[in-house]
């Protein structure tokens, strides 16, 4: 089966197309790899390709080297780097979307700008019910801040942040709460992120251990009905809420490769989130 990786491609897969009508806003090179990528997405027919910018030059690719206990990636981000705020701002689908997912932030250096932050702010101001999510992916510099510390400002604007264990611990370690000692565990990282960035739902993918999540107070929930009776099942927003979900156990013979499993999990999460959010369901209850 031919299917392209990353959360962006997974969220646009034929399996999930019945939930939403996704569109991709990205830069695709005009070499052999770029043509294959464009042709396969077109054949699947499940995503609007009108907003795909065919940039001159090579297509970004990533080679995965999988070992018995770890894996490494060799990446070329040449077409990713051409994705800038002006390209996204020129996409009609961006301004009309119910939800926008920002995939692979650390692999898209063209988005590490004040212009991109202002674009996200402008979209949220124009359509207050529009929601955003973010998947940072790995920071090869291991600074975990983005250019000029812009990552923190971007996370403040998004409703959901998807991180793996290393990414969560790396980003949390930049906060003064860690005092240079780093975040010793995903659980500690979640506590720091909930305190530092309280209006974002932080979802940490923990591989075979499943996933954990935490939310202090949501910025995307509808305003509460002042006449509604309180429910005992609701957690007071000021207390914050955490979740833990075990991974699904599969027979070893069914598992070909776990590369991309976290992206597939996040893609499914997002489709259910968008559906629930459109119904007005609070984020805390939806998770």
């Amino acid at each position: 089966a031919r299917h392209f990786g990353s959360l962006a491609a997974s969220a646009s897969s034929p399996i999930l197309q019945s939930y939403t009508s996704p569109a991709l806003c990205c830069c695709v090179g005009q070499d052999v790899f770029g043509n294959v990528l464009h042709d396969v997405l077109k054949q699947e027919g499940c995503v609007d390709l009108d907003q795909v910018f065919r940039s001159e030059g090579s297509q970004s690719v990533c080679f995965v080297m999988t070992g018995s206990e770890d894996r490494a990636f060799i990446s070329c981000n040449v077409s990713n780097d051409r994705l800038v705020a002006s390209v996204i701002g020129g996409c009609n689908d961006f301004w009309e979307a119910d939800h926008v997912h920002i995939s692979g932030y650390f692999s898209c250096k063209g988005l590490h700008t004040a212009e991109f932050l202002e674009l996200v702010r402008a979209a949220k101001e124009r359509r207050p019910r529009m929601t955003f999510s973010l998947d940072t992916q790995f920071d090869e510099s291991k600074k975990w801040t983005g250019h000029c510390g812009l990552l923190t400002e971007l996370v403040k604007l998004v409703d959901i942040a998807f991180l793996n264990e290393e990414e969560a611990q790396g980003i949390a370690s930049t906060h003064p709460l860690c005092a240079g000692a780093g975040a010793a565990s995903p659980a500690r990282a979640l506590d720091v992120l909930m305190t530092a960035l309280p209006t974002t739902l932080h979802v940490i993918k923990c591989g075979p251990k499943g996933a954990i999540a935490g939310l202090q107070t949501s910025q995307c929930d509808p305003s509460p009905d002042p006449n509604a009776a309180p429910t005992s099942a609701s957690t007071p927003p000021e207390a914050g809420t955490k979740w833990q979900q075990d991974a699904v156990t599969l027979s070893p013979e069914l598992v070909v490769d776990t590369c991309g499993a976290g992206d597939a999990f996040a893609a499914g999460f997002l489709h259910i989130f968008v559906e629930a959010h459109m119904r007005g369901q609070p984020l805390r209850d939806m998770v």
Side-chain angles (χ1 to χ4, degrees):
R2 294 182 301 175
H3 181 67
F4 290 96
S6 84
L7 206 165
S10 296
S12 305
S13 71
I15 298 174
L16 297 173
Q17 64 178 310
S18 60
Y19 289 95
T20 58
S21 300
L24 284 176
C25 181
C26 61
C27 292
V28 176
Q30 297 194 40
D31 59 358
V32 172
F33 285 114
N35 291 336
V36 170
L37 170 60
H38 190 271
D39 289 347
V40 171
L41 291 173
K42 184 177 181 179
Q43 290 169 14
E44 288 182 346
C46 58
V47 61
D48 180 5
L49 296 179
D50 290 343
Q51 310 298 325
V52 172
F53 175 64
R54 295 304 302 270
S55 61
E56 295 183 0
S58 303
Q59 166 64 28
S60 298
V61 293
C62 178
F63 294 92
V64 183
M65 298 182 293
T66 302
S68 59
E69 297 182 358
D70 199 1
R71 58 176 176 255
F73 300 86
I74 301 176
S75 301
C76 169
N77 294 318
V78 62
S79 63
N80 289 348
D81 292 341
R82 297 190 180 101
L83 185 64
V84 295
S86 59
V87 172
I88 298 174
C91 295
N92 293 331
D93 287 332
F94 172 76
W95 298 103
E96 298 173 0
D98 295 317
H99 181 82
V100 175
H101 176 70
I102 305 164
S103 186
Y105 181 73
F106 281 122
S107 297
C108 300
K109 303 301 184 186
L111 302 184
H112 295 210
T113 63
E115 289 78 10
F116 182 63
L117 283 180
E118 289 306 314
L119 185 70
V120 175
R121 288 194 183 100
K124 291 177 75 74
E125 289 174 2
R126 181 182 296 191
R127 296 191 65 197
R129 289 284 289 164
M130 181 190 288
T131 51
F132 282 80
S133 57
L134 169 71
D135 189 338
T136 66
Q137 293 190 346
F138 185 74
D139 180 11
E140 60 185 15
S141 74
K142 295 191 176 181
K143 295 180 180 178
W144 302 108
T145 58
H147 180 65
C148 295
L150 292 177
L151 175 62
T152 297
E153 297 306 310
L154 179 59
V155 176
K156 290 178 182 178
L157 294 173
V158 304
D159 303 282
I160 306 173
F162 294 100
L163 307 164
N164 66 22
E165 295 170 289
E166 185 174 5
E167 293 157 1
Q169 290 174 241
I171 294 170
S173 69
T174 66
H175 193 271
L177 284 174
C178 289
S185 67
R188 172 56 178 160
L190 182 60
D191 288 339
V192 171
L193 292 171
M194 288 177 65
T195 301
L197 301 159
T199 62
T200 301
L201 170 65
H202 304 278
V203 181
I204 303 178
K205 302 168 287 185
C206 302
K209 298 185 292 291
I212 57 175
L215 175 68
Q216 197 71 23
T217 178
S218 174
Q219 60 183 319
C220 71
D221 285 347
S223 300
D225 181 354
N227 300 316
T231 59
S232 59
S234 299
T235 303
E238 63 272 12
T241 309
K242 294 180 182 178
W243 297 266
Q244 190 275 330
Q245 177 63 53
D246 293 334
V248 174
T249 301
L250 296 175
S251 302
E253 60 270 16
L254 296 177
V255 180
V256 177
D257 190 347
T258 58
C259 185
D263 289 334
F265 159 77
F269 189 108
L270 281 180
H271 278 270
I272 297 301
F273 162 74
V274 171
E275 188 179 56
H277 183 60
M278 290 302 100
R279 296 197 305 265
Q281 187 173 355
L283 180 57
R284 192 182 305 272
D285 295 338
M286 180 276 295
V287 176

